[in-house]
Structures are given as C-alpha cells and as structure tokens.
Amino acid sequence: MTSPSNEKSARTTGRPTLNEVAQRAGVSPITASRALRGVTTVADELAQKVRDAARELGYVANPAARALASAQSQSVVVLVPSLSNQLFVDTLEAIHGVLRPKGLEVLIGNFHYSRDEEEDLIRNYLAYQPRGLLLTGFERTESSRRMIEASGVPCVYMMDLDSGAGLHCVGFSQLDAGATAAKHLLARGRKRLAFVGAQLDQRTLLRGEGFRRVLQRAGLYDPGLELLTPRPSSVGLGGELFAQLLANHPQVDGIFFGNDDLAHGALLEAMRLGVKVPEQVAVLGFNDLPSSAFMVPRLSSIRTPREAIGRRAAELILNLIAGRDVEEPVQDMGFELVVREST
C-alpha cells in the first residue's frame, strides 16, 4: 500500500514514486530501492523487473529525499584535479567498478588543480552528507582540512603517501619515483640531466625533488637545467619546452619529463628538429600512458599503478564506512620503471 506521504508527494509533484515502482514490479519498496542502486544481492530477475517498471513509469530517484530520510546519502565523493588526464580517468573507472556494485553512487568533482575550487567542492558536497571522501594528494587549503575533519566523513587520500600524518592513503612515493628516474639516466651514462615540469602540483614538485637529490649526491646537479612552468601540461607544451631547453643548453643529454604528455611532445619536436633520441638526448616520461609504447622512438617511462590505486582506495573507503579496523592505513602500491627505446 502506498504510504500517505508518498501519495502526497506523487499528487504534489506528479512524479511516480518508489512505492509505485515496487507495486508494478511486485517487490517491496526496499528491494526496489536496492535494485535501482545496483546492489548485487538483489536477484537478477527481480532487478530487471524493477528496472522495467521504473522505465515504464518514468521514475527518477530523488537522492536528496533519500539522504533526508536516512540522514545520510548513498554517495562517495571523488575529487580529482583533471578529467582530461588519462591517469585520473583510469583511477575513476576502477573506483566506480568497486563502489557501484555495493549500491554507492560515485560523485565526481574536478577542481582543475585549484585549491580554492576544491574547497568549494568539498563545502558543497559535504552538505549532502556523503558516506565517504576520496581525495587526490595532501595539498589543500586549511579551510578544506578543517571541514573534512569536522565532518567526520571517512576519507582516503590517493596518489601520494604520508606515513606521519595519521591519514588513510593509497599511492606511491613521488620522491622515490623521481629518484628512480635520475638513477636510470645516470646508469645510461648521461651526465647533463634536466627536469621539465608543468602544472606544478605538489606531486610534480616532489618528483622533481627526488630527481634533484640524486643529482646533488652525484655532484651533477645544475639548477639551470630545471625548466618549470605553472602552465597546464600538454603535448604542445612539451615540444615547446624541449626546444627551449636545447636552445639554451645544447649539451643536455638526458631529460626527465614530469609526465608523458610533455615527453610525447618532446619526441615529436625532436623529429622536427632532427635531434636524435636517445643518441643525442635520452627522454624519460612519467605515468606510462598506453600511447607511450607506440611513440617513435618508444618512450621509456615510469609506470604508475593508477587502476590499482583506485581499486584499493575504494576498498579502503568501504572498510571505513563499515566501521572496520584498517591494519595498514598507509598502502604503498609502488611503481615500475619501463625501459624502451628513448633512453
């Protein structure tokens, strides 16, 4: 029987209710709700009946009403700095694959590498009382930190590690990744090594710091061979910075780019300029995007476990939501140096 409140809602708005969907499908309202949220414990046959009924009635769930009724939504907020970067697309796909079968909606926010934009997103999303937060890195405004702490919402940080902050995080050491890049190029006999970075988020700067420390210990660090710009990273920018670097420092024989987009641009510009890679200059990227294996020459890169980070972060937030103890709050997923023709 349709409850008076739902009848009133239907009469007031003219919209079909969840109870009407349940009645048409011949199931209870709670089963209908679970089926529409994709909870895997609902039998496939029943779930299909509910979906068919919802489609026939034109039913659209009201997440605000659901959150009001339970004092909590069924959503997990994921904030990333870019939706054009394959790194974050892969991570988001993995997160969705873990959370959606558990009946949780994934709310994605893109803060465009702006801490102020991220603060606005955190403020807006917390108003909907999400079940959990998945955030990228540790760099954010003090106001954002206070809001996260005061909310009591379980939170997992992705892409970087911080064992001293008492936070739950899944990622890898950006410092170690930068150090690995320098050691690889040195092992190839390169002496005049440059680091090229764009966007300059904290993770890029940490990779540069790891690269720098190895060169300093080897007595080969030249601050003039660091080319850093806050401009958005792109293939075009990579080509531009490569040409600029070689014009000013023609003796450079090895370059570590802060990401593969920049390195791809460098390889294309090298072909245009007639610069032989790796004979004249070795080129090393970061993230190992799928296209890196098909560049000319094939790009050496540091492969990051972006899908594994997404899966593990989503599994960790599920444990925190359920109130289960987490034995390892800091989970290092590592990285892999993939050596190809460019070095």
Side-chain angles (χ1 to χ4, degrees):
M1 180 177 177
T2 304
S3 69
S5 61
N6 278 335
E7 287 178 353
K8 181 179 179 181
S9 175
R11 288 195 301 268
T12 302
T13 66
R15 298 171 183 168
T17 67
L18 179 64
N19 277 355
E20 291 171 337
V21 173
Q23 287 176 350
R24 177 166 293 206
V27 300
S28 68
I30 192 169
T31 298
S33 175
R34 288 172 176 167
L36 292 174
R37 287 188 283 117
V39 177
T40 55
T41 54
V42 179
D44 290 342
E45 182 179 353
L46 289 180
Q48 188 59 52
K49 286 183 178 180
V50 172
R51 288 193 292 269
D52 290 343
R55 189 180 305 110
E56 292 165 5
L57 291 170
Y59 172 77
V60 177
N62 185 342
R66 183 189 300 162
L68 184 62
S70 65
Q72 197 168 45
S73 73
Q74 292 298 318
S75 62
V76 171
V77 172
V78 187
L79 300 186
V80 295
S82 172
L83 290 176
S84 61
N85 189 326
Q86 186 66 41
L87 164 70
F88 299 110
V89 173
D90 291 344
T91 302
L92 288 170
E93 287 282 1
I95 291 170
H96 192 276
V98 172
L99 296 183
R100 190 72 179 90
K102 300 297 182 180
L104 292 168
E105 299 292 340
V106 179
L107 301 182
I108 300 169
N110 177 10
F111 57 89
H112 303 96
Y113 290 94
S114 166
R115 283 185 279 179
D116 289 337
E117 281 194 44
E118 186 194 42
E119 180 182 320
D120 288 340
L121 288 171
I122 290 172
R123 181 177 292 106
N124 292 336
Y125 277 130
L126 284 178
Y128 290 93
Q129 303 184 61
R131 302 294 301 278
L133 295 172
L134 293 174
L135 305 180
T136 305
F138 300 107
E139 187 183 32
R140 51 191 41 87
T141 67
E142 185 58 34
S143 178
S144 292
R145 292 190 180 93
R146 288 196 298 267
M147 284 190 291
I148 294 166
E149 182 177 356
S151 73
V153 175
C155 185
V156 174
Y157 299 84
M158 304 181 293
M159 300 299 171
D160 204 354
L161 303 175
D162 190 341
S163 58
L167 303 173
H168 294 89
C169 51
V170 180
F172 58 92
S173 171
Q174 304 283 344
L175 276 171
D176 288 351
T180 295
K183 292 174 183 176
H184 171 64
L185 291 173
L186 289 174
R188 287 291 199 257
R190 311 295 168 152
K191 302 295 184 184
R192 295 277 294 167
L193 300 182
F195 174 66
V196 177
Q199 204 77 63
L200 304 187
D201 60 277
Q202 185 64 23
R203 291 171 300 284
T204 295
L205 295 176
L206 285 171
R207 292 194 287 276
E209 177 63 21
F211 190 79
R212 183 183 308 118
R213 290 179 185 180
V214 171
L215 297 186
Q216 287 172 335
R217 287 195 294 268
L220 296 173
Y221 175 64
D222 181 349
L225 298 184
E226 286 191 356
L227 187 52
L228 305 176
T229 175
R231 293 165 60 187
S233 178
S234 69
V235 172
L237 179 61
E240 178 185 329
L241 296 178
F242 177 80
Q244 178 182 330
L245 180 65
L246 290 192
N248 295 330
H249 304 279
Q251 301 307 312
V252 166
D253 59 5
I255 308 172
F256 173 42
F257 286 90
N259 61 47
D260 277 8
D261 287 343
L262 296 174
H264 291 173
L267 292 181
L268 294 171
E269 188 65 18
M271 285 192 287
R272 278 189 285 268
L273 297 175
V275 175
K276 294 182 178 180
V277 178
E279 291 84 358
Q280 289 176 246
V281 57
V283 173
L284 177 63
F286 185 83
N287 279 328
D288 192 33
L289 299 180
S291 54
S292 294
F294 304 99
M295 295 298 294
V296 180
R298 302 179 195 277
L299 178 67
S300 295
S301 187
I302 292 178
R303 179 177 295 164
T304 54
R306 43 196 179 270
E307 292 182 17
I309 288 173
R311 284 194 301 273
R312 187 67 60 83
E315 292 165 355
L316 184 53
I317 201 69
L318 285 176
N319 283 328
L320 294 176
I321 290 171
R324 292 189 284 266
D325 291 334
V326 176
E327 295 182 2
E328 298 181 28
V330 179
Q331 301 194 16
D332 187 349
M333 306 303 292
F335 56 83
E336 178 186 0
L337 173 66
V338 180
V339 180
R340 300 192 182 97
E341 299 164 353
S342 69
T343 57

